[in-house]
Amino acid sequence: PRFKDGDNLIGTLLAIFGNVLVSISLTIQKHSHVKLAGAKDQRAFYRTKTWWSGFVLTCLGELANFVSYAFAPLSIVAPLNAVSVLTSSILGFIFLREKLKPKDFAKQYGLVFLGYTFVIGGTYLLVSFGPNSHEKLTAVNIVKHLVAWPVLLYMLLEIITFCLLLYFYKRRRANYLIIILLLVALLGSVTVITVKAVSSMLVLTIEGTMQLNYPIFSVMFVCMVASAIFQASFLSQACKLHDSSLIASVNYIFSTFLAVLGGAVFYLEFEKENILHISMFLLGSALCFLGVFLITKTKKKAKIFEPYVSMNMSNGVPAIHDKGLVVQPDYSGSFSYGTLVNNNGVAPATLPVNLETPPLGPRSTDASHDHPGMKKD
């Protein structure tokens, strides 16, 4: 393995730090949501310091991720999103309160720890053997990359593929997970390409070389914002139709693959790399793909709670049932926020049940008084 130069090292560390910070912030905000799940005011978490501290950490983490694109190659920064999945899962175990025997724990979470190993090993390989070239992306250099024939061909193929997928999704009602996530990944490749360009020009401007007065900066900025908005829209639609854990793994694989391909075509990041380094980088990426799949595969699916209330008049207490099973008061809640899914972590929130037992009058002691036509023995 070879060491990265100063800029690449800074970008890599910023990307890792940003992903870890985002995972911590989502966990903090999720804890605030779960804690106030039974409150009457659905927006009560906005008034808590916990939620706002998580929001501030999210902004700092995303800022670190944004700046990392200016220092490190796109092919290295994009796969490091696996660090966020790894951190989120580890934080889930910290809040886990379910006590299992060591044998049962290893049986239930063995694949998760195997996924941890793959993600850590894959991250090391892709960082160590990833592209070592670093180009100062001025506005002039970005324009030169943009008008090169490989980039124009890549953009043409991406536009055609996107239009075909969009046609099947909108007109043919093909709501398959692969189609929706391919749309997300195609938009995501545009997002990361433009983010790297905008971030690089902003950093150069802060360093003293003005880049914001070039038209290419405005073009890249508009494309970045638009692609990010539509990407989030398609991802939201996918979450409504399919399982969130499957979406997390498949979306990471598709988005990372197209992001690396975009970096290779648009910024020529693998132009000076030899076969050995490219092979080791691909091996590291494959290990991250497999690790993320194993980590997300074992997440429990959230159960849809469909309650109905019955009155147990022998005790005079209302009971809440779910498909015939009494689940109150021992309700094992499952809430989700962001990329995390809470299955066993954090104390489950109690359901608000404001039901009063009707008073038992003397007429309820003998049901026959309510029905004069009923025969008496």
Side-chain angles (χ1 to χ4, degrees), residues 290-306:
L290 182 58
V292 170
F293 175 76
L294 291 177
I295 292 173
T296 57
K297 181 178 181 296
T298 55
K299 286 185 177 181
K300 298 178 182 178
K301 295 181 180 180
K303 296 181 180 179
I304 300 176
F305 181 65
E306 299 176 352

Side-chain angles (χ1 to χ4, degrees), residues 131-203:
N132 198 29
S133 59
H134 180 74
E135 180 184 9
K136 290 289 185 181
L137 288 176
T138 62
V140 176
N141 291 339
I142 292 173
V143 173
K144 289 181 179 179
H145 284 296
L146 187 61
V147 298
W149 71 266
V151 175
L152 295 177
L153 180 60
Y154 173 80
M155 293 174 61
L156 178 62
L157 292 175
E158 184 169 291
I159 292 173
I160 293 174
T161 305
F162 183 84
C163 291
L164 288 174
L165 292 173
L166 189 61
Y167 169 77
F168 284 107
Y169 176 65
K170 291 293 185 180
R171 296 297 182 181
R172 299 289 182 174
R173 304 296 180 183
N175 296 328
Y176 300 110
L177 179 63
I178 292 180
I179 291 180
I180 301 177
L181 293 186
L182 279 175
L183 290 170
V184 173
L186 290 171
L187 289 169
S189 66
V190 176
T191 303
V192 293
I193 288 173
T194 53
V195 163
K196 182 171 179 60
V198 172
S199 179
S200 299
M201 286 187 281
L202 284 175
V203 170

